[in-house]
Short mmCIF file of all heavy atoms in Angstrom, two decimals:
data_model
loop_
_atom_site.label_atom_id
_atom_site.label_comp_id
_atom_site.label_asym_id
_atom_site.label_seq_id
_atom_site.Cartn_x
_atom_site.Cartn_y
_atom_site.Cartn_z
N TYR A 67 36.36 -16.03 -30.66
CA TYR A 67 36.84 -15.12 -31.71
C TYR A 67 38.04 -15.75 -32.39
O TYR A 67 38.19 -15.71 -33.61
CB TYR A 67 37.21 -13.76 -31.11
CG TYR A 67 38.03 -12.89 -32.04
CD1 TYR A 67 37.48 -12.38 -33.21
CD2 TYR A 67 39.36 -12.59 -31.76
CE1 TYR A 67 38.23 -11.60 -34.07
CE2 TYR A 67 40.12 -11.81 -32.61
CZ TYR A 67 39.55 -11.32 -33.77
OH TYR A 67 40.30 -10.56 -34.61
N ARG A 68 38.90 -16.37 -31.57
CA ARG A 68 40.03 -17.09 -32.13
C ARG A 68 39.55 -18.18 -33.09
O ARG A 68 40.13 -18.40 -34.14
CB ARG A 68 40.82 -17.73 -30.98
CG ARG A 68 41.94 -18.60 -31.46
CD ARG A 68 42.36 -19.58 -30.38
NE ARG A 68 43.58 -20.21 -30.79
CZ ARG A 68 44.61 -20.43 -29.99
NH1 ARG A 68 44.57 -20.08 -28.74
NH2 ARG A 68 45.70 -20.99 -30.45
N GLY A 69 38.46 -18.84 -32.71
CA GLY A 69 37.88 -19.89 -33.56
C GLY A 69 36.99 -19.32 -34.65
O GLY A 69 36.27 -20.05 -35.32
N SER A 70 37.04 -17.99 -34.82
CA SER A 70 36.30 -17.28 -35.87
C SER A 70 34.79 -17.55 -35.83
O SER A 70 34.13 -17.43 -36.84
CB SER A 70 36.86 -17.62 -37.26
OG SER A 70 38.24 -17.43 -37.29
N GLN A 72 33.18 -20.13 -35.98
CA GLN A 72 32.89 -21.00 -37.13
C GLN A 72 31.52 -21.63 -37.01
O GLN A 72 30.82 -21.81 -37.98
CB GLN A 72 33.95 -22.09 -37.23
CG GLN A 72 35.09 -21.70 -38.15
CD GLN A 72 35.94 -22.89 -38.49
OE1 GLN A 72 36.12 -23.79 -37.68
NE2 GLN A 72 36.48 -22.91 -39.69
N ARG A 130 39.46 -34.74 -33.73
CA ARG A 130 40.80 -34.40 -34.19
C ARG A 130 41.62 -35.66 -34.46
O ARG A 130 41.33 -36.72 -33.90
CB ARG A 130 41.52 -33.56 -33.12
CG ARG A 130 41.02 -32.14 -33.12
CD ARG A 130 41.43 -31.41 -31.86
NE ARG A 130 40.88 -30.07 -31.91
CZ ARG A 130 41.57 -28.99 -32.29
NH1 ARG A 130 42.83 -29.09 -32.59
NH2 ARG A 130 41.00 -27.82 -32.34
N MET A 269 56.37 -13.00 -27.41
CA MET A 269 57.09 -12.20 -28.40
C MET A 269 56.24 -11.05 -28.91
O MET A 269 55.10 -11.23 -29.33
CB MET A 269 57.52 -13.07 -29.58
CG MET A 269 58.58 -12.40 -30.41
SD MET A 269 59.20 -13.52 -31.66
CE MET A 269 60.53 -12.58 -32.33
N GLY A 270 56.79 -9.83 -28.83
CA GLY A 270 56.04 -8.65 -29.24
C GLY A 270 55.27 -8.03 -28.08
O GLY A 270 54.79 -6.92 -28.18
N ARG A 273 52.30 -4.93 -27.18
CA ARG A 273 52.13 -4.26 -28.47
C ARG A 273 51.53 -5.23 -29.50
O ARG A 273 50.76 -4.85 -30.35
CB ARG A 273 53.49 -3.75 -28.96
CG ARG A 273 53.87 -2.39 -28.39
CD ARG A 273 55.35 -2.13 -28.58
NE ARG A 273 55.76 -2.22 -29.98
CZ ARG A 273 55.56 -1.26 -30.89
NH1 ARG A 273 54.97 -0.15 -30.55
NH2 ARG A 273 55.95 -1.41 -32.13
N ASN A 274 51.90 -6.50 -29.37
CA ASN A 274 51.40 -7.54 -30.27
C ASN A 274 50.18 -8.21 -29.64
O ASN A 274 50.01 -9.42 -29.69
CB ASN A 274 52.51 -8.56 -30.53
CG ASN A 274 52.12 -9.61 -31.56
OD1 ASN A 274 51.14 -9.43 -32.29
ND2 ASN A 274 52.85 -10.70 -31.59
N TRP A 275 49.31 -7.40 -29.03
CA TRP A 275 48.20 -7.98 -28.25
C TRP A 275 47.25 -8.81 -29.11
O TRP A 275 46.66 -9.76 -28.63
CB TRP A 275 47.44 -6.86 -27.52
CG TRP A 275 46.76 -5.89 -28.44
CD1 TRP A 275 47.31 -4.77 -28.99
CD2 TRP A 275 45.42 -5.96 -28.95
NE1 TRP A 275 46.41 -4.13 -29.79
CE2 TRP A 275 45.24 -4.83 -29.79
CE3 TRP A 275 44.36 -6.85 -28.77
CZ2 TRP A 275 44.04 -4.58 -30.45
CZ3 TRP A 275 43.17 -6.60 -29.44
CH2 TRP A 275 43.02 -5.48 -30.26
N ARG A 276 47.12 -8.45 -30.38
CA ARG A 276 46.15 -9.20 -31.21
C ARG A 276 46.53 -10.66 -31.31
O ARG A 276 45.67 -11.52 -31.49
CB ARG A 276 46.05 -8.58 -32.60
CG ARG A 276 45.23 -7.31 -32.60
CD ARG A 276 44.65 -7.06 -33.98
NE ARG A 276 45.69 -6.82 -34.95
CZ ARG A 276 45.48 -6.91 -36.27
NH1 ARG A 276 44.31 -7.24 -36.73
NH2 ARG A 276 46.47 -6.68 -37.09
N GLN A 277 47.81 -10.96 -31.23
CA GLN A 277 48.21 -12.37 -31.17
C GLN A 277 48.28 -12.87 -29.73
O GLN A 277 47.78 -13.93 -29.40
CB GLN A 277 49.58 -12.58 -31.82
CG GLN A 277 50.01 -14.04 -31.70
CD GLN A 277 51.38 -14.33 -32.26
OE1 GLN A 277 52.10 -13.45 -32.69
NE2 GLN A 277 51.75 -15.59 -32.24
N VAL A 280 45.21 -13.57 -27.50
CA VAL A 280 44.48 -14.75 -27.96
C VAL A 280 45.29 -16.03 -27.71
O VAL A 280 44.75 -17.05 -27.30
CB VAL A 280 44.18 -14.61 -29.47
CG1 VAL A 280 43.53 -15.86 -30.00
CG2 VAL A 280 43.27 -13.41 -29.70
N ASP A 281 46.60 -15.92 -27.92
CA ASP A 281 47.47 -17.09 -27.87
C ASP A 281 48.11 -17.30 -26.50
O ASP A 281 48.51 -18.40 -26.15
CB ASP A 281 48.60 -16.91 -28.90
CG ASP A 281 48.65 -18.07 -29.86
OD1 ASP A 281 47.81 -18.97 -29.73
OD2 ASP A 281 49.53 -18.07 -30.73
N LEU B 17 53.03 -3.92 -36.63
CA LEU B 17 53.51 -4.70 -35.49
C LEU B 17 53.93 -6.11 -35.90
O LEU B 17 54.56 -6.81 -35.12
CB LEU B 17 52.40 -4.79 -34.45
CG LEU B 17 52.19 -3.50 -33.68
CD1 LEU B 17 50.89 -3.57 -32.92
CD2 LEU B 17 53.35 -3.29 -32.73
N ASN B 20 59.35 -6.66 -36.68
CA ASN B 20 60.15 -5.82 -35.80
C ASN B 20 61.44 -5.43 -36.53
O ASN B 20 61.65 -5.76 -37.69
CB ASN B 20 60.43 -6.53 -34.46
CG ASN B 20 61.10 -7.87 -34.65
OD1 ASN B 20 61.61 -8.16 -35.73
ND2 ASN B 20 61.12 -8.67 -33.61
N ALA B 176 57.51 -14.74 -39.16
CA ALA B 176 56.64 -14.64 -37.99
C ALA B 176 57.43 -14.04 -36.84
O ALA B 176 57.63 -14.66 -35.82
CB ALA B 176 56.10 -16.01 -37.63
N SER B 177 57.89 -12.82 -37.02
CA SER B 177 58.70 -12.20 -35.99
C SER B 177 58.44 -10.71 -35.95
O SER B 177 58.82 -10.00 -36.86
CB SER B 177 60.19 -12.47 -36.29
OG SER B 177 61.00 -11.85 -35.34
N PRO B 178 57.78 -10.19 -34.94
CA PRO B 178 57.35 -10.93 -33.75
C PRO B 178 55.99 -11.62 -33.88
O PRO B 178 55.69 -12.53 -33.12
CB PRO B 178 57.24 -9.83 -32.69
CG PRO B 178 56.82 -8.63 -33.47
CD PRO B 178 57.50 -8.75 -34.81
N ARG B 179 55.15 -11.18 -34.81
CA ARG B 179 53.79 -11.72 -34.80
C ARG B 179 53.72 -13.03 -35.56
O ARG B 179 54.07 -13.10 -36.73
CB ARG B 179 52.82 -10.72 -35.42
CG ARG B 179 51.39 -11.19 -35.39
CD ARG B 179 50.45 -10.13 -35.89
NE ARG B 179 50.17 -9.16 -34.86
CZ ARG B 179 49.73 -7.94 -35.11
NH1 ARG B 179 49.55 -7.54 -36.32
NH2 ARG B 179 49.49 -7.12 -34.12
N GLY B 180 53.29 -14.07 -34.88
CA GLY B 180 53.18 -15.38 -35.51
C GLY B 180 51.76 -15.66 -35.92
O GLY B 180 51.02 -14.77 -36.33
N PHE B 181 51.38 -16.91 -35.81
CA PHE B 181 50.07 -17.32 -36.28
C PHE B 181 49.30 -17.96 -35.14
O PHE B 181 49.84 -18.69 -34.33
CB PHE B 181 50.21 -18.28 -37.46
CG PHE B 181 51.02 -17.67 -38.57
CD1 PHE B 181 52.37 -17.99 -38.73
CD2 PHE B 181 50.47 -16.71 -39.38
CE1 PHE B 181 53.12 -17.40 -39.72
CE2 PHE B 181 51.21 -16.11 -40.38
CZ PHE B 181 52.54 -16.45 -40.55
N VAL B 182 47.99 -17.67 -35.11
CA VAL B 182 47.14 -18.15 -34.03
C VAL B 182 46.19 -19.22 -34.54
O VAL B 182 46.05 -20.28 -33.95
CB VAL B 182 46.34 -16.97 -33.43
CG1 VAL B 182 45.35 -17.49 -32.41
CG2 VAL B 182 47.28 -15.96 -32.80
N ARG B 183 45.57 -18.93 -35.67
CA ARG B 183 44.52 -19.84 -36.17
C ARG B 183 45.18 -20.80 -37.16
O ARG B 183 45.48 -20.43 -38.29
CB ARG B 183 43.41 -19.02 -36.81
CG ARG B 183 42.72 -18.14 -35.76
CD ARG B 183 41.92 -17.01 -36.38
NE ARG B 183 41.38 -16.15 -35.36
CZ ARG B 183 42.05 -15.12 -34.82
NH1 ARG B 183 43.28 -14.87 -35.19
NH2 ARG B 183 41.50 -14.37 -33.88
N ASP B 185 44.12 -24.15 -37.87
CA ASP B 185 43.35 -25.19 -38.53
C ASP B 185 43.13 -24.84 -40.00
O ASP B 185 43.19 -23.68 -40.38
CB ASP B 185 41.99 -25.37 -37.83
CG ASP B 185 42.16 -26.10 -36.51
OD1 ASP B 185 43.24 -26.66 -36.30
OD2 ASP B 185 41.23 -26.08 -35.68
N MET B 188 41.29 -21.65 -41.94
CA MET B 188 41.21 -20.50 -41.04
C MET B 188 42.38 -19.56 -41.31
O MET B 188 43.45 -19.97 -41.72
CB MET B 188 41.24 -20.97 -39.59
CG MET B 188 40.09 -21.86 -39.25
SD MET B 188 40.03 -22.25 -37.50
CE MET B 188 39.40 -20.73 -36.84
N PRO B 191 43.70 -12.31 -38.90
CA PRO B 191 43.37 -11.05 -39.58
C PRO B 191 44.59 -10.44 -40.27
O PRO B 191 44.44 -9.58 -41.13
CB PRO B 191 42.87 -10.15 -38.47
CG PRO B 191 42.51 -11.05 -37.35
CD PRO B 191 43.38 -12.26 -37.47
N TRP B 192 45.80 -10.84 -39.87
CA TRP B 192 47.00 -10.27 -40.48
C TRP B 192 47.56 -11.18 -41.58
O TRP B 192 48.70 -11.05 -41.97
CB TRP B 192 48.06 -9.97 -39.42
CG TRP B 192 48.35 -11.11 -38.49
CD1 TRP B 192 49.29 -12.07 -38.66
CD2 TRP B 192 47.71 -11.39 -37.24
NE1 TRP B 192 49.27 -12.95 -37.61
CE2 TRP B 192 48.32 -12.55 -36.72
CE3 TRP B 192 46.68 -10.79 -36.51
CZ2 TRP B 192 47.93 -13.11 -35.49
CZ3 TRP B 192 46.31 -11.34 -35.30
CH2 TRP B 192 46.93 -12.48 -34.81
N VAL B 213 47.29 -6.15 -42.09
CA VAL B 213 48.49 -5.52 -41.52
C VAL B 213 48.97 -6.34 -40.33
O VAL B 213 48.18 -6.86 -39.60
CB VAL B 213 48.24 -4.07 -41.05
CG1 VAL B 213 48.23 -3.15 -42.24
CG2 VAL B 213 46.99 -3.95 -40.24
#
Side-chain angles (χ1 to χ4, degrees):
Chain A
Y67 166 67
R68 174 201 191 137
S70 308
Q72 267 193 327
R130 284 164 182 262
M269 196 173 187
R273 276 164 56 78
N274 186 16
W275 64 273
R276 283 205 296 163
Q277 178 183 4
V280 175
D281 236 1
Chain B
L17 286 167
N20 57 15
S177 178
R179 182 175 279 159
F181 304 100
V182 174
R183 296 162 184 86
D185 285 346
M188 299 186 76
W192 50 90
V213 282

